[in-house]
Amino acid sequence: MPVAVFLCLCALWELIVYLGDYPAFFLPSPRLVWARGLVALRDGSLLMHTWVTLREVFAGLAVGLSVAVVLGYLLARSPAVERLVAPYLAASQAIPIVALAPLLVIWLGPGALSKIVVCALTLFFPVLINTIVGIRSVDSELVELLRSLQATRWQSFIYLEIPAALPVLLGGLKIGVTLSVIGAVVSEFVSADRGLGFLVNLARGLFDTPLMFVALFTLMAIALAMYLAVSALERHVLQRQGRG
């Protein structure tokens, strides 16, 4: 069904371009976009820019996910600390990442580090909130049961808290993986000489609209692939837990 819908949208897109007689720099047809994508694949430019963006996305995802899960667990287990820290974390979300990215480039330089940090910050907050919600959703009676069995804190964490909170954590991760792609593109818009965000900027400057569509569709494909991978992992976890 999704493939059929995609083909119908492409046919509608082709019809709109044909009836409107739009120039390629304004709205290229799907055929032009496909042809331009093949050219970018053959000369290696698309794969090179895609690989650069993927490295930033995965590195930012690893950093942001690790920090968010650890901090979320600590806040979930310490309500007093949460009351102290949560207002500042919430207020920080009022700062658009587009406005923060130039500062990070100034502080950390135009290299990969600033882009990784932007990716990590983009996905940090939703993963943090889902971690707190997931840890606090653990049944208190089960916690007391493990305590009565003299289970250690580590055993409670591994055998109860993580399995019980994992579905909620994966829900946050599904949001986080798509946001990490946005973070990479935003950072590349600010300062980059490689990456899909840079390719979009380059195509815009050259009025190469078909190339811009190629870069945008590649970003969509990356985000979709990562989302589907997390969804598959979520289904596997739920089936093993008997919830699927």
Side-chain angles (χ1 to χ4, degrees):
M1 184 63 70
V3 175
V5 172
F6 176 75
L7 293 176
C8 290
L9 290 175
C10 287
L12 179 61
W13 178 6
E14 184 77 36
L15 181 62
I16 291 173
V17 173
Y18 175 77
L19 295 178
D21 195 22
Y22 295 113
F25 74 88
F26 182 77
L27 181 63
S29 68
R31 289 177 298 167
L32 280 177
V33 174
W34 177 257
R36 187 65 181 89
L38 291 179
V39 171
L41 276 175
R42 282 195 294 266
D43 63 25
S45 60
L46 182 60
L47 292 178
M48 185 270 290
H49 290 296
T50 301
W51 173 240
V52 170
T53 300
L54 279 175
R55 284 188 301 177
E56 296 166 356
V57 167
F58 284 118
L61 187 62
V63 173
L65 183 63
S66 301
V67 176
V69 170
V70 171
L71 182 58
Y73 180 81
L74 295 177
L75 293 180
R77 286 293 168 227
S78 180
V81 176
E82 186 196 5
R83 287 194 295 269
L84 179 65
V85 176
Y88 299 101
L89 291 174
S92 68
Q93 298 308 298
I95 304 175
I97 197 65
V98 178
L100 189 60
L103 280 176
L104 292 175
V105 170
I106 294 173
W107 293 339
L108 303 176
L113 180 59
S114 60
K115 298 170 180 58
I116 292 171
V117 172
V118 171
C119 289
L121 289 176
T122 306
L123 66 96
F124 171 78
F125 193 71
V127 175
L128 174 73
I129 295 300
N130 277 58
T131 302
I132 295 174
V133 173
I135 296 299
R136 288 187 175 170
S137 65
V138 178
D139 193 341
S140 59
E141 294 183 357
L142 293 178
V143 175
E144 293 299 327
L145 175 61
L146 284 184
R147 286 178 181 173
S148 67
L149 296 174
Q150 297 182 341
T152 64
R153 189 64 178 269
W154 177 252
Q155 289 173 328
S156 178
F157 176 74
I158 292 296
Y159 296 112
L160 175 60
E161 293 175 336
I162 288 298
L166 200 54
V168 180
L169 294 178
L170 290 173
L173 184 58
K174 288 166 71 174
I175 302 172
V177 293
T178 56
L179 291 178
S180 64
V181 178
I182 296 174
V185 174
V186 168
S187 62
E188 290 171 354
F189 277 167
V190 175
S191 174
D193 57 359
R194 292 177 299 172
L196 291 172
F198 167 77
L199 192 62
V200 172
N201 265 336
L202 178 64
R204 181 184 61 182
L206 297 175
F207 290 95
D208 191 349
T209 310
L211 180 59
M212 190 182 301
F213 272 90
V214 170
L216 293 176
F217 280 128
T218 305
L219 288 169
M220 291 170 59
I222 292 173
L224 180 60
M226 296 175 68
Y227 180 87
L228 292 177
V230 178
S231 296
L233 177 61
E234 182 183 36
R235 287 194 299 271
H236 177 69
V237 169
L238 292 179
Q239 286 174 357
R240 291 196 61 179
Q241 293 183 351
R243 303 183 190 182

